[in-house]
Amino acid sequence: MSIGKEIKKKVNGDWQNAFSELSLYAQSKLYKVVSPLIIGLELIKSPFTDSYSPYLVIYPLWKKDLKAIFDYPILLRDFKTKKGFQYDIPYENHGMFFDDVLDSIRKQSPLPFEGNISLKQLVAVLDEYSKTPPLSASPNSYLQADLQKAKLKIALTVSSEEAQSILEQIHKRNWDVNHFKACGININKWFQSLHDAIVERDEFLNQIDASKQNKKIANLQSSELTE
């Protein structure tokens, strides 16, 4: 049975009212801009039942267009019940669970939805995320490296020095070259791309500014990434 539009509208409205600091980007997607990132909540429908689960998401604004920005999140993190299970909220009974879920999310979210966010906070969240499955299964894989690259680019919006510090940490890792190859990535070229990003910081910042000018992005509420 498909869920009616009115029920979904009520669900979206409840979430938007609860998180007024986020903007409704599209159905079941509540976002805000934080300097180089889009951060927010997604209510992802179960493929098996008429229910949904809330997720914390982070997307990069340095990509070339909307399709690329939302192609794959930097972070996709679910929220847990008191028993440690992922929330699975039936649309029909949304009201019964909403207050409990809301309280859980406010307590569990590693990032605030109100106000500015510091680079230190974001780096800590991404480092913690790198230790969770499936990333934790291969600590030196290309997937881990891609997360570190995102961390470097976030730092680059604060300063070249912050990005350089993260680059030095990346160089110290004993990366799994074979996994890079399996993903079609030449590790030497990948390292060079990180160096180039720092050198070409102005171009990088210009791309972020261009993304923010997109009408759909410009309509979102925003805050800053601080040192």
Side-chain angles (χ1 to χ4, degrees):
M1 183 183 75
S2 61
I3 296 301
K5 289 182 179 179
E6 287 304 313
I7 293 177
K8 283 193 174 181
K9 186 176 179 181
K10 173 70 166 61
V11 169
N12 286 329
D14 284 350
W15 281 95
Q16 190 171 21
N17 290 336
F19 291 95
S20 58
E21 58 273 32
L22 302 177
S23 304
L24 188 64
Y25 177 83
Q27 183 172 282
S28 305
K29 296 179 179 182
L30 296 156
Y31 299 147
K32 70 182 287 189
V33 171
V34 182
S35 293
L37 303 168
I38 286 175
I39 292 176
L41 294 169
E42 289 186 6
L43 314 176
I44 299 179
K45 186 185 181 306
S46 166
F48 310 110
T49 61
D50 287 333
S51 60
Y52 71 91
S53 303
Y55 283 81
L56 173 68
V57 292
I58 299 178
Y59 291 99
L61 279 172
W62 54 79
K63 299 294 183 71
K64 62 180 180 178
D65 54 37
L66 282 182
K67 186 177 184 301
I69 287 169
F70 293 109
D71 182 46
Y72 194 80
I74 295 171
L75 178 146
L76 180 69
R77 181 186 184 277
D78 65 0
F79 296 93
K80 305 294 188 185
T81 67
K82 291 175 182 178
K83 293 183 178 180
F85 299 112
Q86 177 181 291
Y87 275 104
D88 191 36
I89 307 158
Y91 282 98
E92 292 280 1
N93 298 322
H94 154 81
M96 292 172 57
F97 299 97
F98 186 61
D99 288 343
D100 181 53
V101 175
L102 194 59
D103 184 56
S104 261
I105 286 179
R106 292 203 181 279
K107 288 178 179 176
Q108 290 181 42
S109 179
L111 292 172
F113 295 114
E114 292 180 326
N116 297 333
I117 296 176
S118 72
L119 176 61
K120 185 177 180 180
Q121 280 177 297
L122 263 172
V123 166
V125 168
L126 294 179
D127 283 345
E128 187 62 32
Y129 185 59
S130 73
K131 298 172 186 174
T132 62
L135 288 167
S136 57
S138 303
N140 295 313
S141 69
Y142 172 67
L143 298 179
Q144 286 277 8
D146 202 39
L147 183 64
Q148 294 301 311
K149 182 177 180 179
K151 193 166 76 173
L152 180 149
K153 290 195 170 186
I154 293 166
L156 188 56
T157 62
V158 173
S159 70
S160 297
E161 290 74 20
E162 293 283 4
Q164 186 64 42
S165 175
I166 289 175
L167 179 59
E168 289 168 7
Q169 295 171 28
I170 292 172
H171 269 293
K172 292 175 183 176
R173 293 275 286 268
N174 183 26
W175 296 108
D176 183 348
V177 177
N178 289 328
H179 192 261
F180 275 69
K181 288 179 180 177
C183 294
I185 304 296
N186 180 300
I187 194 167
N188 293 323
K189 289 182 178 179
W190 182 78
F191 272 121
Q192 187 60 50
S193 73
L194 302 185
H195 286 274
D196 291 345
I198 295 174
V199 172
E200 297 162 1
R201 181 172 184 261
D202 288 345
E203 184 178 332
F204 171 74
L205 295 178
N206 287 339
Q207 179 57 59
I208 292 172
D209 286 339
S211 294
K212 290 180 179 178
Q213 299 308 311
N214 182 283
K215 187 176 180 180
K216 294 199 75 174
I217 304 296
N219 288 333
L220 299 176
Q221 296 184 68
S222 64
S223 57
E224 297 302 317
L225 178 65
T226 61
E227 291 187 41

Coordinates of all heavy atoms in Angstrom, one line a residue, residues 67-154:
K67 N 23.6 17.8 -9.3 CA 23.6 16.3 -9.5 C 24.8 15.8 -8.8 O 24.8 14.8 -8.1 CB 23.6 15.9 -10.9 CG 23.4 14.4 -11.2 CD 23.3 14.1 -12.6 CE 23.1 12.6 -12.9 NZ 24.2 11.8 -12.3
A68 N 26.0 16.4 -9.0 CA 27.2 15.9 -8.4 C 27.2 16.2 -6.9 O 27.7 15.3 -6.1 CB 28.4 16.7 -9.0
I69 N 26.7 17.3 -6.4 CA 26.6 17.6 -5.0 C 25.9 16.5 -4.2 O 26.3 16.0 -3.2 CB 26.0 19.0 -4.8 CG1 27.0 20.1 -5.2 CG2 25.6 19.2 -3.3 CD1 26.3 21.5 -5.3
F70 N 24.7 16.1 -4.8 CA 23.9 15.2 -4.1 C 24.1 13.7 -4.6 O 23.3 12.8 -4.2 CB 22.4 15.6 -4.2 CG 22.1 16.9 -3.5 CD1 21.8 18.0 -4.2 CD2 22.1 16.9 -2.1 CE1 21.5 19.2 -3.5 CE2 21.8 18.1 -1.4 CZ 21.5 19.2 -2.1
D71 N 25.1 13.5 -5.3 CA 25.3 12.1 -5.9 C 25.6 11.2 -4.7 O 25.1 10.0 -4.7 CB 26.5 12.2 -6.9 CG 26.8 10.8 -7.5 OD1 25.8 10.2 -7.9 OD2 27.9 10.4 -7.5
Y72 N 26.4 11.6 -3.8 CA 26.8 10.7 -2.7 C 27.2 11.5 -1.5 O 28.0 12.4 -1.6 CB 28.0 9.8 -3.1 CG 28.3 8.6 -2.2 CD1 27.5 7.5 -2.3 CD2 29.3 8.7 -1.2 CE1 27.7 6.4 -1.5 CE2 29.5 7.7 -0.4 CZ 28.7 6.5 -0.5 OH 28.9 5.4 0.4
P73 N 26.6 11.2 -0.3 CA 26.9 12.0 0.9 C 28.3 11.7 1.4 O 28.8 10.6 1.3 CB 25.8 11.6 1.9 CG 25.5 10.2 1.5 CD 25.7 10.2 0.0
I74 N 28.9 12.8 2.0 CA 30.1 12.6 2.8 C 29.8 11.7 4.0 O 30.6 10.9 4.4 CB 30.7 13.9 3.2 CG1 31.2 14.7 2.0 CG2 31.9 13.7 4.2 CD1 31.5 16.2 2.3
L75 N 28.7 12.0 4.6 CA 28.3 11.3 5.8 C 26.8 10.9 5.7 O 26.0 11.8 5.3 CB 28.6 12.1 7.1 CG 28.2 11.5 8.4 CD1 29.2 12.0 9.5 CD2 26.8 12.0 8.8
L76 N 26.5 9.7 6.1 CA 25.1 9.2 6.2 C 25.0 8.4 7.4 O 25.5 7.3 7.5 CB 24.7 8.4 4.9 CG 23.3 7.8 4.9 CD1 22.3 9.0 4.7 CD2 23.2 6.8 3.8
R77 N 24.4 9.0 8.5 CA 24.4 8.4 9.8 C 23.0 8.3 10.4 O 22.2 9.2 10.4 CB 25.2 9.3 10.7 CG 25.4 8.8 12.2 CD 26.1 9.8 13.0 NE 26.4 9.4 14.4 CZ 25.5 9.5 15.4 NH1 24.3 9.9 15.1 NH2 25.9 9.1 16.6
D78 N 22.6 7.1 10.8 CA 21.3 6.9 11.3 C 21.2 7.2 12.8 O 22.2 7.5 13.4 CB 20.8 5.4 11.1 CG 21.6 4.4 11.8 OD1 22.6 4.7 12.5 OD2 21.3 3.2 11.6
F79 N 20.0 7.1 13.4 CA 19.8 7.3 14.8 C 19.3 6.0 15.4 O 18.6 5.3 14.8 CB 18.9 8.5 15.0 CG 19.5 9.8 14.5 CD1 19.2 10.3 13.3 CD2 20.3 10.6 15.3 CE1 19.7 11.5 12.8 CE2 20.8 11.8 14.9 CZ 20.5 12.2 13.6
K80 N 19.6 5.8 16.7 CA 19.2 4.6 17.3 C 18.1 4.7 18.4 O 18.1 5.7 19.1 CB 20.5 3.9 18.0 CG 21.6 3.7 17.0 CD 21.4 2.7 16.0 CE 22.6 2.4 15.2 NZ 22.4 1.5 14.1
T81 N 17.4 3.7 18.6 CA 16.4 3.6 19.7 C 17.2 3.3 21.0 O 18.4 3.0 20.9 CB 15.4 2.5 19.5 OG1 16.1 1.2 19.5 CG2 14.7 2.6 18.1
K82 N 16.5 3.3 22.1 CA 17.1 3.0 23.4 C 17.7 1.6 23.4 O 18.6 1.3 24.2 CB 16.1 3.2 24.5 CG 15.8 4.7 24.7 CD 14.7 4.9 25.8 CE 14.3 6.3 25.9 NZ 13.2 6.5 26.9
K83 N 17.1 0.7 22.6 CA 17.6 -0.6 22.5 C 18.8 -0.8 21.5 O 19.2 -1.9 21.3 CB 16.5 -1.6 22.2 CG 15.4 -1.7 23.3 CD 14.3 -2.7 23.0 CE 13.3 -2.8 24.1 NZ 12.2 -3.7 23.8
G84 N 19.1 0.3 20.8 CA 20.3 0.2 19.9 C 19.9 -0.2 18.5 O 20.8 -0.4 17.7
F85 N 18.6 -0.2 18.2 CA 18.2 -0.4 16.8 C 17.9 0.9 16.0 O 17.6 1.9 16.6 CB 16.9 -1.3 16.8 CG 17.0 -2.6 17.5 CD1 16.4 -2.9 18.7 CD2 17.8 -3.6 16.9 CE1 16.5 -4.1 19.3 CE2 18.0 -4.8 17.6 CZ 17.3 -5.1 18.8
Q86 N 18.0 0.8 14.7 CA 17.7 1.9 13.9 C 16.2 2.2 14.0 O 15.4 1.3 14.0 CB 18.1 1.6 12.4 CG 17.7 2.7 11.5 CD 18.0 2.4 10.0 OE1 19.2 2.3 9.7 NE2 17.0 2.1 9.2
Y87 N 15.9 3.5 14.1 CA 14.5 3.9 14.1 C 13.8 3.5 12.8 O 14.3 3.7 11.7 CB 14.3 5.4 14.3 CG 14.3 5.8 15.7 CD1 15.5 6.4 16.2 CD2 13.2 5.6 16.5 CE1 15.5 6.8 17.6 CE2 13.3 6.0 17.9 CZ 14.4 6.6 18.4 OH 14.4 6.9 19.7
D88 N 12.6 2.9 12.9 CA 11.8 2.5 11.7 C 10.4 2.9 12.0 O 9.7 2.2 12.8 CB 11.9 1.0 11.5 CG 11.3 0.6 10.2 OD1 11.5 1.3 9.2 OD2 10.7 -0.5 10.1
I89 N 10.0 4.1 11.6 CA 8.8 4.8 12.0 C 7.6 4.6 11.0 O 7.8 5.0 9.8 CB 9.0 6.3 12.2 CG1 10.2 6.5 13.1 CG2 7.8 7.0 12.8 CD1 10.9 7.8 13.0
P90 N 6.6 3.9 11.3 CA 5.5 3.7 10.4 C 4.8 5.1 10.1 O 4.5 5.8 11.0 CB 4.5 2.8 11.2 CG 5.3 2.2 12.3 CD 6.3 3.2 12.6
Y91 N 4.6 5.4 8.8 CA 4.0 6.6 8.4 C 2.6 6.8 9.1 O 2.3 7.9 9.6 CB 3.8 6.7 6.9 CG 5.1 7.1 6.2 CD1 5.8 6.1 5.6 CD2 5.5 8.4 6.1 CE1 7.0 6.4 4.9 CE2 6.7 8.7 5.4 CZ 7.4 7.7 4.8 OH 8.6 8.0 4.1
E92 N 1.9 5.7 9.1 CA 0.5 5.8 9.7 C 0.5 6.1 11.2 O -0.4 6.7 11.7 CB -0.2 4.4 9.5 CG -0.5 4.1 8.0 CD -1.8 4.9 7.5 OE1 -2.4 5.6 8.3 OE2 -2.1 4.7 6.3
N93 N 1.6 5.7 11.9 CA 1.7 5.9 13.4 C 2.7 6.9 13.7 O 3.2 6.9 14.9 CB 1.9 4.5 14.1 CG 0.8 3.5 13.8 OD1 -0.4 3.9 13.8 ND2 1.2 2.3 13.6
H94 N 3.1 7.7 12.8 CA 4.1 8.7 13.0 C 4.0 9.5 14.3 O 4.9 9.7 15.1 CB 4.2 9.6 11.8 CG 4.7 11.0 12.0 ND1 6.1 11.2 12.1 CD2 4.1 12.2 12.3 CE1 6.3 12.5 12.3 NE2 5.1 13.1 12.5
G95 N 2.7 10.0 14.5 CA 2.5 10.8 15.7 C 2.8 10.1 17.0 O 3.1 10.7 18.0
M96 N 2.6 8.8 17.1 CA 2.8 8.0 18.3 C 4.3 8.0 18.7 O 4.6 8.0 19.9 CB 2.3 6.6 18.1 CG 0.8 6.4 18.0 SD 0.4 4.7 17.6 CE 1.2 3.8 18.9
F97 N 5.2 8.1 17.7 CA 6.6 7.9 18.0 C 7.4 9.2 17.9 O 8.5 9.3 18.4 CB 7.2 6.9 17.0 CG 6.6 5.5 17.0 CD1 5.6 5.2 16.1 CD2 7.1 4.6 17.9 CE1 5.1 3.9 16.2 CE2 6.5 3.3 18.0 CZ 5.5 3.0 17.1
F98 N 6.8 10.2 17.3 CA 7.5 11.4 16.9 C 8.3 12.1 18.1 O 9.5 12.4 18.0 CB 6.6 12.4 16.2 CG 7.3 13.6 15.7 CD1 8.3 13.5 14.7 CD2 7.1 14.9 16.2 CE1 9.0 14.6 14.2 CE2 7.8 16.0 15.7 CZ 8.7 15.8 14.7
D99 N 7.6 12.3 19.2 CA 8.2 13.0 20.3 C 9.5 12.3 20.9 O 10.5 12.9 21.2 CB 7.2 13.3 21.5 CG 6.2 14.3 21.1 OD1 6.4 15.1 20.2 OD2 5.2 14.4 21.8
D100 N 9.3 11.0 20.9 CA 10.4 10.1 21.4 C 11.6 10.2 20.4 O 12.8 10.3 20.8 CB 10.0 8.7 21.6 CG 11.1 7.8 22.1 OD1 11.7 8.1 23.1 OD2 11.4 6.7 21.4
V101 N 11.3 10.1 19.1 CA 12.3 10.2 18.1 C 13.0 11.5 18.1 O 14.3 11.6 18.0 CB 11.7 9.9 16.7 CG1 12.8 10.0 15.6 CG2 11.2 8.5 16.6
L102 N 12.2 12.5 18.2 CA 12.8 13.9 18.3 C 13.7 14.1 19.4 O 14.8 14.7 19.2 CB 11.6 14.9 18.4 CG 11.9 16.4 18.1 CD1 12.4 16.5 16.7 CD2 10.6 17.1 18.3
D103 N 13.4 13.6 20.6 CA 14.2 13.7 21.7 C 15.5 13.0 21.5 O 16.6 13.5 21.9 CB 13.5 13.2 23.0 CG 14.3 13.4 24.3 OD1 14.6 14.5 24.6 OD2 14.5 12.3 24.9
S104 N 15.4 11.8 20.9 CA 16.6 11.0 20.6 C 17.6 11.7 19.7 O 18.8 11.7 19.9 CB 16.2 9.7 20.0 OG 16.2 8.6 21.0
I105 N 17.0 12.3 18.6 CA 17.9 12.9 17.6 C 18.6 14.1 18.2 O 19.8 14.3 18.0 CB 17.0 13.3 16.4 CG1 16.7 12.1 15.6 CG2 17.8 14.3 15.5 CD1 15.8 12.3 14.4
R106 N 17.9 14.9 19.0 CA 18.5 16.1 19.6 C 19.7 15.7 20.6 O 20.7 16.3 20.7 CB 17.5 16.9 20.4 CG 16.5 17.6 19.4 CD 15.9 18.8 20.0 NE 14.9 19.4 19.2 CZ 15.2 20.3 18.2 NH1 16.4 20.6 17.9 NH2 14.2 20.8 17.5
K107 N 19.5 14.5 21.2 CA 20.6 14.0 22.1 C 21.7 13.3 21.4 O 22.9 13.4 21.8 CB 19.9 13.0 23.1 CG 19.1 13.7 24.2 CD 18.4 12.6 25.1 CE 17.6 13.3 26.2 NZ 16.9 12.3 27.0
Q108 N 21.3 12.6 20.3 CA 22.3 11.8 19.6 C 23.1 12.6 18.5 O 24.2 12.2 18.1 CB 21.7 10.6 18.9 CG 21.2 9.6 19.9 CD 20.6 8.4 19.1 OE1 21.1 7.9 18.1 NE2 19.4 7.9 19.6
S109 N 22.5 13.6 17.9 CA 23.2 14.3 16.8 C 24.6 14.8 17.2 O 24.7 15.6 18.2 CB 22.3 15.4 16.3 OG 23.0 16.0 15.2
P110 N 25.6 14.4 16.5 CA 27.0 14.8 16.8 C 27.2 16.3 16.4 O 28.3 16.9 16.8 CB 27.9 13.9 16.1 CG 27.0 13.5 14.9 CD 25.6 13.5 15.3
L111 N 26.3 16.8 15.6 CA 26.4 18.2 15.2 C 25.2 19.0 15.5 O 24.1 18.5 15.4 CB 26.6 18.3 13.7 CG 28.0 17.7 13.1 CD1 27.9 17.7 11.6 CD2 29.1 18.6 13.6
P112 N 25.3 20.3 15.9 CA 24.2 21.1 16.2 C 23.5 21.6 14.9 O 24.2 21.7 13.9 CB 24.8 22.3 16.9 CG 26.2 22.4 16.4 CD 26.6 21.0 16.1
F113 N 22.2 21.7 14.9 CA 21.6 22.3 13.7 C 21.4 23.8 13.8 O 21.1 24.4 12.8 CB 20.2 21.6 13.5 CG 20.3 20.1 13.2 CD1 19.8 19.2 14.1 CD2 20.9 19.7 12.1 CE1 19.9 17.8 13.8 CE2 21.0 18.3 11.8 CZ 20.5 17.4 12.7
E114 N 21.6 24.3 15.0 CA 21.5 25.7 15.2 C 22.9 26.3 15.3 O 23.8 25.8 15.8 CB 20.8 26.0 16.5 CG 19.3 25.7 16.5 CD 18.6 26.0 17.8 OE1 19.3 25.9 18.9 OE2 17.4 26.4 17.8
G115 N 23.0 27.5 14.7 CA 24.3 28.3 14.9 C 25.4 27.8 14.0 O 25.3 26.9 13.2
N116 N 26.6 28.3 14.3 CA 27.8 28.0 13.5 C 28.4 26.6 14.0 O 28.1 26.2 15.2 CB 28.8 29.1 13.7 CG 28.4 30.4 13.1 OD1 27.6 30.4 12.2 ND2 28.9 31.5 13.6
I117 N 29.2 26.0 13.2 CA 29.9 24.8 13.6 C 31.4 25.0 13.4 O 31.8 25.6 12.4 CB 29.4 23.6 12.7 CG1 27.9 23.4 12.9 CG2 30.2 22.4 12.9 CD1 27.3 22.3 12.0
S118 N 32.2 24.5 14.3 CA 33.6 24.7 14.2 C 34.2 23.6 13.4 O 33.7 22.4 13.3 CB 34.2 24.7 15.6 OG 34.2 23.4 16.2
L119 N 35.4 23.9 12.8 CA 36.1 22.9 12.0 C 36.5 21.7 13.0 O 36.4 20.5 12.5 CB 37.4 23.5 11.5 CG 38.3 22.6 10.7 CD1 37.6 21.9 9.5 CD2 39.6 23.3 10.3
K120 N 36.8 22.0 14.2 CA 37.2 20.9 15.1 C 36.1 20.0 15.4 O 36.2 18.8 15.4 CB 37.6 21.6 16.5 CG 38.1 20.6 17.5 CD 38.6 21.3 18.8 CE 39.1 20.3 19.8 NZ 39.6 21.0 21.0
Q121 N 34.8 20.5 15.5 CA 33.6 19.7 15.7 C 33.5 18.7 14.4 O 33.2 17.5 14.6 CB 32.4 20.5 15.8 CG 32.1 21.1 17.2 CD 30.9 22.0 17.2 OE1 30.9 23.0 16.5 NE2 29.9 21.6 17.9
L122 N 33.6 19.3 13.3 CA 33.3 18.5 12.0 C 34.4 17.5 11.9 O 34.1 16.3 11.5 CB 33.3 19.5 10.8 CG 32.0 19.9 10.3 CD1 32.1 21.0 9.2 CD2 31.2 18.7 9.7
V123 N 35.6 17.8 12.1 CA 36.7 16.8 12.0 C 36.5 15.7 12.9 O 36.7 14.5 12.6 CB 38.1 17.5 12.2 CG1 39.2 16.5 12.4 CG2 38.5 18.4 11.0
A124 N 36.1 16.0 14.2 CA 35.8 14.9 15.2 C 34.7 14.0 14.7 O 34.8 12.8 14.9 CB 35.5 15.6 16.5
V125 N 33.7 14.6 14.1 CA 32.5 13.8 13.7 C 32.9 12.9 12.5 O 32.6 11.7 12.5 CB 31.4 14.7 13.2 CG1 30.3 13.9 12.5 CG2 30.8 15.4 14.5
L126 N 33.7 13.4 11.6 CA 34.2 12.6 10.5 C 35.1 11.5 10.9 O 35.1 10.4 10.4 CB 34.8 13.4 9.4 CG 33.8 14.4 8.7 CD1 34.6 15.2 7.7 CD2 32.7 13.7 8.0
D127 N 36.0 11.8 11.9 CA 36.9 10.8 12.4 C 36.1 9.7 13.1 O 36.5 8.5 13.0 CB 37.9 11.4 13.4 CG 39.0 12.2 12.7 OD1 39.2 12.0 11.5 OD2 39.7 13.0 13.4
E128 N 35.1 10.0 13.9 CA 34.3 9.0 14.5 C 33.5 8.2 13.5 O 33.4 7.0 13.6 CB 33.3 9.7 15.5 CG 32.5 8.8 16.4 CD 33.4 7.9 17.3 OE1 34.5 8.4 17.7 OE2 33.0 6.8 17.6
Y129 N 33.0 8.9 12.5 CA 32.3 8.2 11.4 C 33.2 7.1 10.7 O 32.8 6.1 10.3 CB 31.8 9.2 10.4 CG 30.9 8.7 9.3 CD1 29.8 8.0 9.5 CD2 31.3 8.9 7.9 CE1 28.9 7.5 8.5 CE2 30.5 8.4 6.9 CZ 29.3 7.7 7.2 OH 28.5 7.2 6.2
S130 N 34.5 7.5 10.6 CA 35.4 6.6 9.9 C 35.6 5.3 10.6 O 36.1 4.3 10.1 CB 36.8 7.3 9.7 OG 37.5 7.4 10.9
K131 N 35.2 5.2 11.9 CA 35.4 4.0 12.8 C 34.1 3.2 12.8 O 34.1 2.2 13.6 CB 35.8 4.5 14.2 CG 37.1 5.2 14.2 CD 37.3 5.8 15.6 CE 38.5 6.7 15.7 NZ 38.7 7.4 17.0
T132 N 33.1 3.6 12.0 CA 31.9 2.8 12.0 C 31.8 2.0 10.7 O 32.4 2.3 9.7 CB 30.7 3.8 12.1 OG1 30.7 4.6 10.9 CG2 30.7 4.6 13.3
P133 N 31.0 0.8 10.8 CA 30.8 0.0 9.6 C 30.1 0.8 8.5 O 29.2 1.6 8.9 CB 30.0 -1.2 10.1 CG 30.2 -1.2 11.6 CD 30.4 0.3 12.0
P134 N 30.4 0.5 7.3 CA 31.3 -0.4 6.7 C 32.8 0.1 6.7 O 33.7 -0.7 6.4 CB 30.8 -0.7 5.3 CG 30.2 0.6 4.9 CD 29.6 1.2 6.2
L135 N 33.0 1.4 6.9 CA 34.3 2.0 6.8 C 35.3 1.3 7.7 O 36.5 1.1 7.3 CB 34.2 3.5 7.1 CG 33.5 4.4 6.0 CD1 33.3 5.7 6.6 CD2 34.4 4.5 4.8
S136 N 34.9 1.0 8.9 CA 35.8 0.4 9.9 C 36.4 -0.9 9.5 O 37.5 -1.3 10.0 CB 35.1 0.3 11.2 OG 34.0 -0.5 11.1
A137 N 35.8 -1.6 8.6 CA 36.2 -2.9 8.1 C 37.6 -2.8 7.4 O 38.4 -3.8 7.4 CB 35.2 -3.6 7.2
S138 N 37.8 -1.7 6.7 CA 39.1 -1.5 6.0 C 39.6 -0.1 6.2 O 39.4 0.8 5.5 CB 38.8 -1.7 4.5 OG 38.2 -2.9 4.2
P139 N 40.4 0.0 7.3 CA 40.8 1.4 7.8 C 41.8 2.1 6.8 O 42.0 3.3 6.9 CB 41.5 1.1 9.1 CG 41.8 -0.4 9.1 CD 40.8 -1.0 8.3
N140 N 42.4 1.3 5.9 CA 43.3 2.0 4.9 C 42.8 1.9 3.5 O 43.6 1.9 2.5 CB 44.7 1.4 5.0 CG 45.3 1.7 6.4 OD1 45.3 2.8 6.9 ND2 45.8 0.6 7.1
S141 N 41.5 1.7 3.3 CA 40.9 1.5 2.0 C 40.8 2.9 1.3 O 40.9 3.9 1.9 CB 39.5 0.9 2.1 OG 38.6 1.8 2.7
Y142 N 40.4 2.8 0.0 CA 40.2 4.1 -0.8 C 39.0 4.8 -0.2 O 38.9 6.0 -0.2 CB 40.0 3.8 -2.2 CG 39.6 5.0 -3.0 CD1 40.4 6.1 -3.1 CD2 38.3 5.1 -3.5 CE1 40.0 7.2 -3.8 CE2 37.9 6.2 -4.2 CZ 38.7 7.3 -4.3 OH 38.3 8.4 -5.0
L143 N 38.0 4.0 0.3 CA 36.8 4.7 0.9 C 37.1 5.5 2.1 O 36.6 6.7 2.2 CB 35.8 3.6 1.3 CG 35.2 2.7 0.2 CD1 34.2 1.7 0.7 CD2 34.5 3.6 -0.9
Q144 N 38.1 5.1 2.9 CA 38.6 5.8 4.0 C 39.3 7.1 3.5 O 39.2 8.2 4.0 CB 39.5 5.0 4.9 CG 38.8 4.0 5.7 CD 38.3 4.6 7.0 OE1 38.3 5.8 7.2 NE2 37.8 3.7 7.9
A145 N 40.1 6.8 2.4 CA 40.9 7.9 1.9 C 40.0 9.0 1.3 O 40.3 10.2 1.4 CB 41.8 7.4 0.8
D146 N 38.9 8.6 0.7 CA 38.0 9.6 0.1 C 37.3 10.4 1.2 O 37.1 11.7 1.0 CB 36.9 8.9 -0.7 CG 36.2 9.7 -1.7 OD1 36.9 10.6 -2.3 OD2 35.0 9.6 -1.9
L147 N 37.1 9.8 2.4 CA 36.6 10.6 3.5 C 37.6 11.6 4.0 O 37.3 12.7 4.4 CB 36.2 9.6 4.6 CG 35.6 10.3 5.9 CD1 34.2 10.9 5.6 CD2 35.3 9.2 7.0
Q148 N 38.9 11.2 4.0 CA 40.0 12.1 4.4 C 40.1 13.2 3.5 O 40.4 14.4 3.9 CB 41.3 11.3 4.6 CG 41.3 10.2 5.7 CD 41.0 10.8 7.0 OE1 41.6 11.8 7.4 NE2 40.1 10.2 7.8
K149 N 39.9 13.0 2.2 CA 40.0 14.0 1.2 C 38.9 15.0 1.4 O 39.1 16.3 1.3 CB 39.8 13.4 -0.2 CG 39.9 14.4 -1.3 CD 39.8 13.7 -2.7 CE 39.9 14.8 -3.8 NZ 39.8 14.1 -5.2
A150 N 37.7 14.6 1.8 CA 36.6 15.5 2.1 C 37.0 16.3 3.3 O 36.7 17.6 3.4 CB 35.3 14.7 2.4
K151 N 37.6 15.7 4.3 CA 38.0 16.4 5.5 C 39.0 17.5 5.2 O 38.9 18.7 5.7 CB 38.6 15.4 6.5 CG 38.8 16.0 7.9 CD 39.1 14.9 8.9 CE 40.5 14.4 8.8 NZ 40.8 13.4 9.9
L152 N 40.0 17.2 4.3 CA 40.9 18.2 3.8 C 40.3 19.4 3.1 O 40.6 20.5 3.4 CB 42.0 17.5 2.9 CG 43.1 18.4 2.3 CD1 44.3 17.6 2.1 CD2 42.7 19.1 1.0
K153 N 39.3 19.1 2.3 CA 38.6 20.2 1.5 C 37.8 21.0 2.5 O 37.6 22.2 2.3 CB 37.8 19.6 0.4 CG 38.7 19.0 -0.7 CD 37.9 18.7 -2.0 CE 38.9 18.4 -3.1 NZ 38.2 18.3 -4.4
I154 N 37.2 20.4 3.5 CA 36.4 21.2 4.5 C 37.4 22.2 5.2 O 37.1 23.3 5.3 CB 35.7 20.3 5.5 CG1 34.6 19.5 4.8 CG2 35.1 21.1 6.6 CD1 34.1 18.3 5.6

